[in-house]
Amino acid sequence: MTRRTTPATAPSTLLRRGEIHSPADPFATAMLVTGDRVAWLGSEAAADALADTADHTVDLDGALVTPAFTDAHVHTTATGLALTGLDLTSAPSLAAALDAIRAFAAARPAGEVLLGHGWDSARWPERRPPTVAELDEAAGGRPLYLSRVDVHSALATTALLARVPGVADLPGWSADRPLTGDAHHAVRAHAFGDLTPARRAEAQRATRAHAAALGIGALHECGGPEISSEDDLTALLALAAAEPGPRVVGYWAELVTEPKDATRIAELGAAGAAGDLFADGSLGSHTAHLRAPYADAPGTGLAHLTEDQIATHVALCTEAGLQAGFHAIGDAAVTAVTRGVRAAATRVGVERVRALRHRVEHAELLTEELVAELAALGLVASVQPAFDAAWGGPDGMYAARLGAERAAALNPFAALARAGVPLAFGSDAPVTPLDPWGAIRAAAHHHTPDHRISVRAAFAAHTRGGWRAVGRDDAGVLVPGAPADYAVWETGELLVQTPDDRVARWSTDPRSGTPGLPDLTPGTPLPRCLRTVVDGQIVYDRLNE
């Protein structure tokens, strides 16, 4: 993200008669934006003095203004393909998924590789994914790639598999089960390699437009050689620089083994050699690396990186001034990451390591010791509350994979927050949808009561937390001098949440001196976005409709 200086002649916009969510003034009802910066916040009486000099005045009519959200973990092109193509996340059964494939194949041009996402056989009454023969029939013999909802395994038709030489010899290959590991990555590369630049740009625009409509002002793109391509990343960064919309911060998940690797990654425009640099896989695909075996399958998952590889990566990134980061879900994987980062700190100094705010994506299965080590090393936890909403609870996928007791330890947001681990919220879209208010609700109403955090803390993690995760402490909050990235919302009464250890109490008393937030009690309507502004420019607008 590039910082700009607002020129003295920049146009100004006065927003008034609303609710401005700002720690600088919890009672503010008006805000002045000059160019790409917040210039002032205050009362209606003070706004009267500015009304004649502002270039534009917006009557909020009681609407809420907040900082725009940041989604700290997104796969932009894949999300756009799901938005504009074959999305099986809502398919209620195997039969319904096959019907959707037939309809999609019939509507797409002949010769095109078909791409789909989101199947989850754990939710289907058949309790199994489709066979290759069933896929071949549904796709009409065409090449088809279907990623599982967690994107850590996939299905492919015979026509697509035939395009990947030697795929049957790669780790993760199976003739009768979903593809994982190297076999999956090879098939995925061939499938996505067929995307034209125009189709890719269409998908990227679709994601940015959808994000803007949800009040999201910034996306952290988590690309890498196993899940996308350098062309995909550089094209996305160029598109985001050229066209209005949410900001894009790019991460490239390639292992750094020598200094020139870090230099090349920085030259791509990436903020770090981070994101989905896989230390392990996922719980849904039985590939997350665990200390103890899965409850519903043999084995403890897959370890993709050694502690020495992690240490070298972090040390070289630190010396280059580049963020490092890893995808780590299981307790064994997070242990490997923290030990590797600790070893790097002995080489280059713990304060230098902490200063870079290296990241751990997901960080789901944690012990008290791991939480403490994340805090000691200054690691950012880039986490996804929607994972618990989708798969938590005694009857969820997590409990099936780990057993109820171990599953209850997953996603301990409260323990992370208490320990001082910086939290940055995201969706991992298309794994779970872009949905910031839904994520805040999920964190505040976690299936495990001990892991819940306040709505206020969750809101901060989805706004300011994303900026802090890229080294910016001056943004993600509406105060004078901050970037003019904000969203306007239609919502109900604003409340102030006062949590104790496990019980949330609510107050509407303005004497609390704390800016209120919408009521996110399950079952209540989520706020509706009326306008999103990024860098002082309107990128989504329904305010006057």
Side-chain angles (χ1 to χ4, degrees):
M1 297 180 186
T2 302
R3 297 189 64 176
R4 306 182 193 177
T5 301
T6 300
T9 57
S12 59
T13 299
L14 177 65
L15 299 93
R16 59 184 309 182
R17 290 204 326 116
E19 299 281 352
I20 313 298
H21 185 91
S22 172
D25 184 349
F27 309 111
T29 62
M31 179 172 76
L32 180 70
V33 173
T34 302
D36 60 1
R37 297 278 144 179
V38 176
W40 170 89
L41 304 104
S43 67
E44 284 304 308
D48 287 338
L50 300 171
D52 290 339
T53 58
D55 295 297
H56 308 282
T57 298
V58 177
D59 186 344
L60 295 169
D61 191 24
L64 171 67
V65 180
T66 71
F69 289 109
T70 293
D71 192 306
H73 192 120
V74 173
H75 304 286
T76 306
T77 301
T79 300
L81 291 170
L83 288 169
T84 60
L86 177 56
D87 184 357
L88 298 177
T89 53
S90 61
S93 66
L94 170 60
L98 292 172
D99 285 343
I101 294 167
R102 291 186 189 97
F104 181 74
R108 299 303 300 177
E112 178 184 287
V113 173
L114 305 175
L115 301 172
H117 166 75
W119 62 270
D120 185 1
S121 57
R123 296 174 181 258
W124 294 345
E126 298 89 348
R127 308 294 291 182
R128 67 170 181 86
T131 65
V132 172
E134 288 170 331
L135 286 181
D136 288 346
E137 182 278 324
R142 296 174 60 179
L144 167 68
Y145 168 87
L146 283 180
S147 54
R148 190 185 180 278
V149 64
D150 59 7
V151 199
H152 284 271
S153 59
L155 303 167
T157 57
T158 301
L160 179 58
L161 294 171
R163 296 187 178 195
V164 188
V167 65
D169 299 323
L170 294 174
W173 162 261
S174 174
D176 56 2
R177 293 194 307 275
L179 304 171
T180 62
D182 291 348
H184 173 209
H185 299 151
V187 171
R188 180 186 175 95
H190 276 264
F192 279 79
D194 192 65
L195 277 179
T196 65
R199 181 72 181 93
R200 180 171 57 207
E202 176 192 11
Q204 293 171 350
R205 290 189 180 102
T207 299
R208 293 181 77 225
H210 184 55
L214 295 169
I216 297 171
L219 303 169
H220 294 186
E221 164 65 17
C222 293
E226 295 183 340
I227 53 177
S228 57
S229 68
E230 291 185 9
D231 288 345
D232 185 82
L233 175 65
T234 55
L236 172 61
L237 295 177
L239 185 147
E243 300 179 6
R247 304 170 189 264
V248 176
V249 179
Y251 287 96
W252 185 247
E254 186 171 341
L255 191 66
V256 173
T257 60
E258 51 187 337
K260 68 179 183 180
D261 295 337
T263 300
R264 188 180 61 78
I265 290 169
E267 289 173 349
L268 290 175
D276 276 334
L277 180 51
F278 295 119
D280 67 346
S282 74
L283 291 165
S285 292
H286 293 99
T287 53
H289 191 204
L290 309 177
R291 291 178 178 176
Y294 283 88
D296 62 347
T300 56
L302 301 175
H304 295 303
L305 297 172
T306 67
E307 292 175 20
D308 285 344
Q309 287 175 311
I310 292 166
T312 298
H313 179 86
V314 173
L316 291 173
C317 285
T318 302
E319 290 172 340
L322 191 68
Q323 267 190 308
F326 305 90
H327 162 120
I329 287 179
D331 49 359
V334 180
T335 298
V337 167
T338 56
R339 288 177 177 172
V341 176
R342 176 63 69 182
T346 64
R347 300 182 198 177
V348 301
V350 68
E351 291 309 315
R352 291 180 69 190
V353 166
R354 287 179 56 88
L356 266 294
R357 305 184 187 184
H358 302 307
R359 299 170 55 140
V360 182
E361 309 296 322
H362 316 309
E364 290 201 76
L365 186 54
L366 302 175
T367 62
E368 290 184 11
E369 293 76 16
L370 287 174
V371 170
E373 190 68 344
L374 291 171
L377 295 168
L379 295 170
V380 174
S382 171
V383 294
Q384 296 73 38
F387 285 9
D388 177 73
W391 302 307
D395 300 319
M397 181 270 288
Y398 287 154
R401 293 290 183 270
L402 302 179
E405 182 176 351
R406 265 200 301 171
L410 287 162
N411 301 300
F413 303 137
L416 289 164
R418 283 194 302 270
V421 177
L423 295 177
F425 279 3
S427 62
D428 200 8
V431 175
T432 60
L434 299 170
D435 180 14
W437 286 115
I440 294 169
R441 172 183 281 172
H445 297 277
H446 197 294
H447 278 98
T448 304
D450 286 345
H451 298 339
R452 294 173 182 168
I453 59 175
S454 69
V455 168
R456 185 181 178 194
F459 179 81
H462 226 327
T463 50
R464 201 168 193 177
W467 286 85
R468 286 174 165 169
V470 295
R472 290 282 300 276
D473 294 331
D474 63 332
V477 61
L478 297 180
V479 296
D485 289 21
Y486 62 91
V488 181
W489 304 93
E490 178 184 86
T491 186
E493 186 176 28
L494 302 183
L495 307 174
V496 176
Q497 185 189 40
T498 309
D500 61 21
D501 288 341
R502 288 185 295 178
V503 180
R505 297 190 307 276
W506 295 87
S507 170
T508 57
D509 187 347
R511 293 172 298 178
S512 68
T514 300
L517 284 166
D519 181 0
L520 300 181
T521 303
T524 59
L526 292 175
R528 183 172 74 93
C529 187
L530 301 176
R531 175 177 288 181
T532 304
V533 174
V534 175
D535 210 27
Q537 300 182 69
I538 297 173
V539 299
Y540 174 80
D541 197 13
R542 295 292 184 271
L543 187 59
N544 297 313
E545 292 184 357

